[in-house]
Amino acid sequence: RIIKNIKMKIHGALTIFLSAASLLSPTLGDEIMQIHGSGTTNPSKCIWGIMSKFNARSRDPIRMTYRAVGSSTGQAEFLGRLNTNNGTAASHWPHVDFGAGDIPISEEEYDALNDEPGGVADNLKMVHLPFALSSVSFFYNLNGADKIDLGGCLLAKIFNRKITQWNDPEIVEVNPALAKISTPITVCRRTHGSSSTKSITQFLYKECEAEWSYDQVGSELTNWDDGTTAVEGSGQMVECINEANGAIGYLESGHGWAESLQEISLQNLDGNYVTSKEAYLNGGITGAASGYDA
């Protein structure tokens, strides 16, 4: 999603907690309560931190896990479309107790899950619970470039492979210091279902429809240019950016900061180029969130 306020334009991702509360069965005595989830990598460290506190403060033994496998995979595991645990081949029977992702479950899937005979429908309903707001940023690795400013259309052309060199005239027009850096651009992009991919493709489409079409928006695209480099998960995205001089990719902002990656400065509504960290320090993300209508 793209969240805007008066002064800036940031790329935000509202993370949704998917829960079927009835699947969590409290136990007493020496029995161990087990709660397992999967989904987006973006808030994984936050979720693991919360789980650690639960483990430390719970009265009864508890085991909690969260697998950071991506929004689409987590959603599929939570929906359990083909899970045969209840003896029905084509059913909706969750593999996990909860899921997390930036992609809401469709009304059709929501109804199918809650109406499953003998499943969640006999107890409490599955619910969406927004619990975190984060941003997704573009990061790069280019020797000799301390700062790179890009607008939506230039980014669209880079990810479409219409621009393949860092000293392309259109880039140099905004970044004169790159004139002598002829390094090829390596585009790192996520494979499988990724909420980060959905967020940045929505951004590119809204910023530059002329260069990024609506059929290029989604969490799991099949129409990436062959010249792009596919990676799985945020960890491989970090490796792709770090290992290739000239690389550009996208990642949850806090994760990128923690890895000390260099961030692309995006043009805001005032025409200034700022990173998400600069926006955060200036209160932009808080301001955008306060005006966001979920």
Side-chain angles (χ1 to χ4, degrees):
R1 300 166 180 83
I2 302 301
I3 304 174
K4 298 182 179 180
N5 70 1
I6 295 175
K7 292 294 182 183
M8 61 167 293
K9 192 183 302 176
I10 67 168
H11 184 196
L14 182 64
T15 304
I16 298 171
F17 186 86
L18 314 173
S19 176
S22 61
L23 299 179
L24 313 182
S25 302
T27 60
L28 298 175
D30 293 330
E31 295 183 29
I32 298 177
M33 175 191 288
Q34 304 234 11
I35 303 174
H36 304 289
S38 63
T40 179
T41 59
N42 289 352
S44 56
K45 291 183 179 180
C46 173
I47 293 173
W48 292 329
I50 293 171
M51 286 181 168
S52 294
K53 291 184 182 297
F54 267 102
N55 286 326
R57 300 176 185 181
S58 174
R59 181 192 65 181
D60 299 305
I62 185 171
R63 181 170 185 264
M64 306 178 75
T65 65
Y66 179 76
R67 294 165 46 251
V69 292
S71 288
S72 292
T73 300
Q75 188 175 109
E77 291 184 356
F78 183 79
L79 289 172
R81 295 185 190 93
L82 302 178
N83 192 346
T84 59
N85 285 350
N86 68 340
T88 303
S91 64
H92 284 71
W93 193 275
H95 294 270
V96 291
D97 302 305
F98 71 93
D102 304 34
I103 310 166
I105 286 178
S106 68
E107 183 176 358
E108 179 182 1
E109 296 283 17
Y110 175 89
D111 291 339
L113 179 63
N114 282 335
D115 293 340
E116 179 65 26
V120 180
D122 283 355
N123 302 289
L124 298 177
K125 299 290 186 179
M126 169 264 166
V127 292
H128 282 114
L129 297 173
F131 76 99
L133 180 69
S134 63
S135 62
V136 179
S137 299
F138 295 93
F139 293 93
Y140 73 96
N141 172 18
L142 182 61
N143 294 341
D146 295 327
K147 177 178 170 59
I148 296 179
D149 298 334
L150 295 175
C153 284
L154 280 178
L155 281 164
K157 290 180 179 180
I158 288 172
F159 277 81
N160 269 339
R161 304 295 290 161
K162 291 183 178 179
I163 293 179
T164 58
Q165 299 282 138
W166 280 111
N167 65 344
D168 183 278
E170 290 189 65
I171 294 179
V172 172
E173 184 177 353
V174 184
N175 302 271
L178 301 185
K180 295 183 179 180
I181 302 179
S182 58
T183 307
I185 299 174
T186 297
V187 173
C188 307
R189 52 87 174 177
R190 292 279 296 274
T191 186
H192 301 308
S194 164
S195 57
S196 296
T197 298
K198 184 172 183 179
S199 294
I200 69 105
T201 55
Q202 284 178 326
F203 168 74
L204 295 176
Y205 172 68
K206 290 181 178 180
E207 289 295 296
C208 195
E209 292 184 37
E211 297 295 339
W212 198 269
S213 61
Y214 185 74
D215 66 359
Q216 292 175 282
V217 175
S219 62
E220 189 168 3
L221 302 180
T222 59
N223 54 355
W224 287 103
D225 187 276
D226 290 340
T228 59
T229 301
V231 299
E232 184 173 351
S234 298
Q236 286 190 13
M237 176 63 75
V238 172
E239 291 176 5
C240 183
I241 295 172
N242 275 331
E243 291 175 1
N245 180 34
I248 184 172
Y250 52 89
L251 193 67
E252 192 273 326
S253 303
H255 192 162
W257 303 346
E259 297 288 346
S260 300
L261 298 177
Q262 291 179 287
E263 185 179 348
I264 297 288
S265 297
L266 298 181
Q267 190 174 28
N268 67 10
L269 295 180
D270 290 336
N272 300 318
Y273 292 92
V274 295
T275 65
S276 61
K277 178 171 283 190
E278 291 168 336
Y280 168 74
L281 293 175
N282 289 325
I285 291 177
T286 303
S290 65
Y292 178 57
D293 182 7

